[in-house]
Amino acid sequence: VQLQASGGGLVQAGGSLRLSCAASGGTFSSYVMGWFRQAPGKEREFVAAISWIGSSTAYADSVKGRFTVSRDNAKNTVYLRMNSLKPEDTAIYHCAAKLGAVTLDSYDFWGQGTLVTVSS
């Protein structure tokens, strides 16, 4: 499956963005979808994930209550709504896919990232 993230940009602290990740070349509804981010000079970290039907989600502690992951299987798209953004949320955000259960790692397919920059 091929993944393409979009929706990044420059936003002021406290603002919001919605990232999208469009999938192609596979049965989208079969995959657990995850969002990860990598800030400059730091390792990639898990952000959020959603089960294939959307009934189960997981979030990193740093984004709980501020970010919401959702999906539209009819559109082969997963979303990450980001509210109350902080400068420390600045990173390249990637979407990823895997089969099986919702986990924080072991994703098999990765897309190009989209840059989110939060100014203070």
Side-chain angles (χ1 to χ4, degrees), residues 23-96:
S24 61
T27 304
F28 178 74
S29 59
S30 299
Y31 292 96
V32 169
M33 299 300 298
W35 286 97
F36 294 76
R37 67 186 182 187
Q38 187 165 19
K42 295 187 177 181
E43 294 187 355
R44 185 174 62 198
E45 64 174 354
F46 170 81
V47 176
I50 186 167
S51 62
W52 65 275
I53 201 172
S55 58
S56 177
T57 57
Y59 295 92
D61 288 343
S62 59
V63 307
K64 278 182 182 176
R66 300 189 297 124
F67 289 13
T68 303
V69 60
S70 62
R71 67 190 296 160
D72 185 339
N73 287 345
K75 295 182 178 180
N76 289 356
T77 302
V78 62
Y79 305 97
L80 184 68
R81 177 67 179 183
M82 306 185 294
N83 295 329
S84 303
L85 283 162
K86 305 174 182 180
E88 51 264 43
D89 294 319
T90 295
I92 297 174
Y93 284 71
H94 297 267
C95 56

Side-chain angles (χ1 to χ4, degrees), residues 1-5 21-28 31 33 76 95-97 109-112:
V1 61
Q2 291 78 49
L3 305 171
Q4 181 63 56
C21 174
S24 61
T27 304
F28 178 74
Y31 292 96
M33 299 300 298
N76 289 356
C95 56
F109 304 98
W110 294 83
Q112 297 286 346

